[in-house]
Amino acid sequence: MKKILISLINLFYPNLCRLCKRVLIEGETAVCLDCLYHLPRTGYQNYADNPVVHLLIDRQALEAATALYYYEQGGQVQKLVHLIKYHGHKELGYQFGRQAAREWREADHPFQKADFIVPLPLHAKKQRRRGYNQSEWIARGIAEETKIPLLTTAIRRDVMTESQTRLKGYNRWLNVKDIFSVTEPERLAGKHILLVDDVITSGSTVGACMDALSAIPGIRISVFALTMAAQ
């Protein structure tokens, strides 16, 4: 009876791929396998020396860094990020966080050795308006798969800045300078943390967060971004 009821629901209210709107088949969740296959992957997780590392290389506490997909204006990855970030589909962030973590396990990636997972924080006002932090949901997926503890209160965003989208170079750095503060430094001392973000463009925002964390004695910081803007 339950299977018949589910079939009737799917007939009148089909579960559609969030990206292409094709009806999902059994085994597919939120995004169809065809869309997943065609998302532009970076492959950076296979290389210790990669473009994400190059963006953050001047941060002394940097341990490792990578991004899963290329972000291009008008592309499917941009659509995916916007669904997660602006349209309430936080479950997509969770799903892709889990997927990334599975791949690290297969590759025996250094991220697996992190002591804590820390999502890049939003300003409290922006998080209240949005209802959630998209980076936290990506981090939740990673934590679920890796069983590494998730910390959401270790660092705070004190300043609500304007969007980085239209800013260039030095102005990007000025826009995010000193906008983060660490709230639990003693908990992070001597630890390896995995900092999680949704999109890396110039690296200035995540770099500012790393700068705040770098004052903690003995800290090591790895960075994962779901996407990276094509350079």
Side-chain angles (χ1 to χ4, degrees), residues 152-208:
T152 60
T153 58
I155 188 162
R156 181 178 62 231
R157 188 164 184 156
D158 299 313
V159 181
M160 192 163 75
T161 56
E162 63 176 298
S163 171
Q164 296 276 83
T165 307
R166 295 180 177 83
L167 300 177
K168 302 293 182 182
Y170 182 66
N171 287 330
R172 280 180 177 266
W173 177 80
L174 281 180
N175 190 45
V176 296
K177 186 177 182 295
D178 300 327
I179 66 171
F180 296 102
S181 62
V182 179
T183 58
E184 301 179 68
E186 65 291 337
R187 194 172 184 184
L188 300 180
K191 302 298 184 181
H192 175 197
I193 72 161
L194 175 58
L195 194 59
V196 176
D197 200 4
D198 58 340
V199 184
I200 283 183
T201 304
S202 68
S204 55
T205 304
V206 73

Side-chain angles (χ1 to χ4, degrees), residues 52-62 173 202-204 207-208 210-211 214:
V52 187
V53 171
H54 293 174
L55 284 178
L56 304 171
I57 197 68
D58 59 338
R59 267 75 188 192
Q60 292 183 353
L62 181 66
W173 177 80
S202 68
S204 55
M210 292 177 71
D211 290 341
S214 294

Side-chain angles (χ1 to χ4, degrees), residues 67-71 77 80-81 197-200 225-229:
L68 189 59
Y69 296 114
Y70 289 115
Y71 181 105
V77 172
L80 172 66
V81 169
D197 200 4
D198 58 340
V199 184
I200 283 183
L226 180 61
T227 70
M228 179 184 182

Side-chain angles (χ1 to χ4, degrees), residues 111-117 148-149 190-194 220:
F111 288 176
Q112 294 186 109
K113 299 177 177 65
D115 296 299
F116 296 111
I117 299 170
I148 298 170
K191 302 298 184 181
H192 175 197
I193 72 161
L194 175 58
R220 292 169 292 136

Side-chain angles (χ1 to χ4, degrees), residues 58-93:
D58 59 338
R59 267 75 188 192
Q60 292 183 353
L62 181 66
E63 187 82 1
T66 192
L68 189 59
Y69 296 114
Y70 289 115
Y71 181 105
E72 295 180 321
Q73 293 294 326
Q76 288 289 72
V77 172
Q78 183 189 45
K79 184 175 182 180
L80 172 66
V81 169
H82 283 197
L83 284 169
I84 297 170
K85 197 169 184 174
Y86 303 120
H87 300 289
H89 290 285
K90 53 193 178 186
E91 78 284 352
L92 288 174

